[in-house]
Amino acid sequence: MSNEMGLSDRYFELIDDIVKTTLKGKIRSKSQVYQMLVKGVTVGTGEIFERCLDQRFDMTQAEVDNPKSELKQAKAIRKLRALNTIRGEWEQWQEENRVSETITSAIQFITTAEPAERFTALLRVIDPNQQPPLTLQQLGSLAKPLKQQAQQASESDTAKDLGQLAAGITAGLASWQRLEDYLVSWIYDQSRGSLGFEGTPEQRGPWGLWGKKVNSPLPQSLFESLALNQSFHEWADTQPSLELEAWVELAVILQCLQRGLVNWFDKMVYDSKMGAKLSISTFIVFAVIWSRLANVLNQTAISSNGNAIANGCFQVCLQILRTFAQRDYFPLYGGVFANFSGNYLQDALNYLDEPLRQVDRTEEKARILTLLGYSLWSQGAYDRANNFHQQALEIAREAGDRLCEIANFNHLSRICVAQENYADAINYSQRALILARQAGDRLGEANALVNFGYSEVFQAQDSQQAELEVYESAINYLEQGRLLLERLGDSPAGSYGVGQSKALCFSSLGIAHVVVEQYQKAIAFLEQGWQAAQFSGDLYLQGVNLAYLAQACYSQQDWQKVIYTASLGAYLLEQIGSEDWRKPAGLLSILQGQMGQDGFQTLLAQQRSKIIAVIGVDGYDYIPELLAKYLDSI
């Protein structure tokens, strides 16, 4: 206590001295005040200084508010100005001291890590989920002391690792400076508002441009490969053994690109709906890129310490998903394949869940598990999807995330329909409906109504209840869900979820009308469902709508439309690894048998331009292979 009182006296004296010197006109700049604070305030005693400064400020403010004379009031006003200058410079001193302490702590964390964990340690330090995260300037400040530590290290391996970490940070920031001016220019160059991560000839996206602007071999080759839509294994086969420095540089570049894109899209005030959609796609694309890099590193020898780098890649993937899960527009009714091709994605989900095992039971984890569960469901991995949603449901309850809890009941209902467990499907949808109405979750309520009606349609079909009234009652719930979705507002936070849910609703209505053999109504709903799925970027719902649309058109003997929709549906579903591709492929094989090879090929050729407009030349050329693959499997 006596020590604290001594410090208080010292700090009052320091403050009074700065004020007197200011009033005498001997303070020429704010930097003089700053230097006096640096010399006069002991590190770790800032709270005592702040209390003293506040007391002097309050005392002087009282003199201004209750003056004994005009002369004394004028002097008090001048003192108040001086105290405000002290306060401003003190805040700057605190910020710089905080940054210095952060850098020192980061250096200690990295240098004391096990050799195999140094890359991962650096990635934890630059994690955007840190509070507060490092700025680019602070990241640059990290490189210099790392280089100094490398020069002072007694072990050659340690010196090499720390030196490469420092060099990688410096190179990454330099590469980002070259890329920053081209962060979004490709959107205007292409005259389109889509990210274009598909890599099709019609929609290259940013990768080709970025590959030309960056000089370093690793990011340059990766960007060029993404532009050409190569698989990660194809890309890895062309790579030499890469050192740690290259991976650090890539981590810095990709983090800057991802954060820059999201920040830009989030500020699209003129089209916030599209901005939210593009931000979602950005998070998803970069998360999957890191998961695929980890996959490749575990299976190839393109890095001298591949396992350590792979672990780091998984960590970055998790960091992105955790940041994503905190956004208002996080899609509780969407999957990780939105807006980009799945030909290099099929195995990614096997790796995306790995980092989650190391995360505490948090709200973010529940939302990430929901996202992955939906994706697994769409691929036909129903048992695994069920496990993800059950975990997410339990965590969401504990975290009090009611919207996430409702979403998982809805997803579980859909899984049960796929597994022909209609009683549980109805039960889950009813629970979702009750909770959604209690919580005022209109989007969750709409999905629950759709799932309830959808489940009842299939239960009626399974029990061979042919009475039309049974189906009409079930379809009525689907219509209620559709009308509710139509009434929902298009706020930026909800637009993506509404679009996704509309696609699911129209799909469900279309399928229900196929079941009851009302094909004209089915076609109208399925066409709307496909359009909604295209806007939301959900490849699975696009494929499902197209598959059932082909079935409805087949009943109407519209062979050209059957070939067009079934070809697209089979291709899109097979690309994301969904076993549902077999349904439209089977329909195509039936039609080919009925028409003969030549007649079928003639009709397929007539649809060529329309098909290419959606999936490109490579997609069109792949359709005969897809048919052959189906025929070989039966």
Side-chain angles (χ1 to χ4, degrees), residues 241-414:
S241 180
L242 298 166
E243 295 290 343
L244 179 60
E245 177 183 340
W247 293 103
V248 173
E249 179 185 5
L250 182 66
V252 172
I253 293 171
L254 288 180
Q255 185 182 94
C256 288
L257 288 170
Q258 177 227 316
R259 291 169 71 176
L261 284 173
V262 170
N263 288 337
W264 195 84
F265 292 142
D266 283 352
K267 293 175 183 177
M268 287 177 64
V269 178
Y270 63 91
D271 193 350
S272 56
K273 190 174 181 180
M274 178 60 72
K277 177 187 173 185
L278 292 174
S279 291
I280 289 165
S281 293
T282 302
F283 277 118
I284 290 170
V285 166
F286 279 84
V288 172
I289 285 173
W290 280 109
S291 75
R292 295 301 290 160
L293 286 172
N295 179 15
V296 166
L297 284 163
N298 276 325
Q299 298 179 24
T300 62
I302 63 173
S303 180
S304 55
N305 48 355
N307 289 336
I309 302 297
N311 290 336
C313 292
F314 279 129
Q315 182 164 290
V316 177
C317 173
L318 174 61
Q319 290 171 359
I320 293 170
L321 291 177
R322 290 186 68 186
T323 304
F324 186 25
Q326 297 167 39
R327 299 300 174 109
D328 291 338
Y329 46 67
F330 183 82
L332 289 170
Y333 296 95
V336 300
F337 43 75
N339 249 13
F340 71 116
S341 174
N343 61 343
Y344 60 78
L345 175 63
Q346 291 182 14
D347 298 328
L349 296 176
N350 296 329
Y351 299 92
L352 279 173
D353 67 309
E354 288 293 332
L356 300 177
R357 299 175 185 176
Q358 304 170 25
V359 182
D360 293 335
R361 301 170 69 79
T362 63
E363 182 177 339
E364 290 92 353
K365 182 172 182 179
R367 292 186 166 229
I368 295 169
L369 287 169
T370 305
L371 185 80
L372 299 181
Y374 176 92
S375 305
L376 289 165
W377 162 71
S378 69
Q379 291 188 317
Y382 301 129
D383 289 339
R384 195 163 174 228
N386 179 78
N387 182 47
F388 272 47
H389 286 303
Q390 292 288 359
Q391 289 183 63
L393 183 64
E394 184 179 351
I395 297 169
R397 280 175 177 163
E398 292 178 2
D401 188 349
R402 185 57 64 88
L403 299 185
C404 187
E405 182 182 355
I406 293 163
N408 279 283
F409 275 129
N410 275 317
H411 289 308
L412 286 166
S413 174
R414 210 73 181 184

Side-chain angles (χ1 to χ4, degrees), residues 222-242:
L222 179 62
F223 293 165
E224 289 173 351
S225 176
L226 288 169
L228 295 171
N229 204 27
Q230 285 182 316
S231 75
F232 275 70
H233 283 281
E234 287 179 295
W235 167 76
D237 289 341
T238 66
Q239 297 303 303
S241 180
L242 298 166

Side-chain angles (χ1 to χ4, degrees), residues 458-615:
F458 280 91
Q459 186 182 56
Q461 184 189 40
D462 184 59
S463 60
Q464 297 182 342
Q465 291 178 320
E467 294 82 1
L468 187 59
E469 293 80 6
V470 176
Y471 290 105
E472 286 179 344
S473 175
I475 290 173
N476 180 54
Y477 286 107
L478 288 165
E479 284 289 353
Q480 288 182 48
R482 182 183 68 81
L483 292 172
L484 180 54
L485 287 168
E486 293 293 340
R487 290 196 299 268
L488 283 174
D490 290 330
S491 65
S495 60
Y496 182 85
V498 171
Q500 194 92 355
S501 299
K502 280 183 180 178
L504 180 63
C505 181
F506 285 130
S507 171
S508 302
L509 276 163
I511 293 169
H513 283 90
V514 168
V515 170
V516 299
E517 299 181 357
Q518 295 178 349
Y519 296 112
Q520 287 298 329
K521 286 186 177 180
I523 289 170
F525 283 124
L526 291 165
E527 286 178 340
Q528 291 180 78
W530 182 28
Q531 184 180 7
Q534 283 179 302
F535 177 79
S536 70
D538 191 317
L539 295 178
Y540 175 69
L541 287 179
Q542 287 186 52
V544 167
N545 275 281
L546 286 162
Y548 276 96
L549 189 55
Q551 185 177 333
C553 291
Y554 183 84
S555 71
Q556 303 298 101
Q557 299 184 357
D558 187 347
W559 309 134
Q560 288 190 339
K561 200 165 184 179
V562 170
I563 288 178
Y564 172 61
T565 54
S567 296
L568 291 178
Y571 177 82
L572 292 174
L573 291 167
E574 195 264 352
Q575 286 291 287
I576 63 169
S578 173
E579 285 299 309
D580 287 344
W581 73 271
R582 299 176 59 81
K583 296 176 183 177
L587 192 60
L588 286 174
S589 69
I590 292 171
L591 189 59
Q592 183 175 257
Q594 292 172 342
M595 302 180 67
Q597 181 72 17
D598 292 342
F600 179 84
Q601 288 299 326
T602 298
L603 277 184
L604 180 61
Q606 290 174 1
Q607 300 300 308
R608 184 177 186 274
S609 61
K610 292 174 64 179
I611 292 173
I612 287 175
V614 180
I615 60 176

Side-chain angles (χ1 to χ4, degrees), residues 72-132:
K72 289 185 177 181
Q73 185 184 44
K75 184 176 181 181
I77 291 173
R78 292 174 61 203
K79 287 171 64 177
L80 202 60
R81 289 175 186 156
L83 289 169
N84 274 322
T85 299
I86 296 173
R87 177 169 285 174
E89 295 308 297
W90 169 246
E91 289 174 356
Q92 181 183 341
W93 183 91
Q94 282 185 305
E95 175 62 21
E96 293 187 5
N97 191 58
R98 184 194 65 76
V99 171
S100 177
E101 289 178 353
T102 299
I103 297 297
T104 301
S105 176
I107 294 296
Q108 183 178 11
F109 182 68
I110 294 168
T111 54
T112 57
E114 294 294 324
E117 299 294 326
R118 285 183 183 130
F119 179 58
T120 304
L122 173 65
L123 295 175
R124 288 179 182 171
V125 165
I126 67 175
D127 182 358
N129 295 291
Q130 296 283 357
Q131 293 299 327

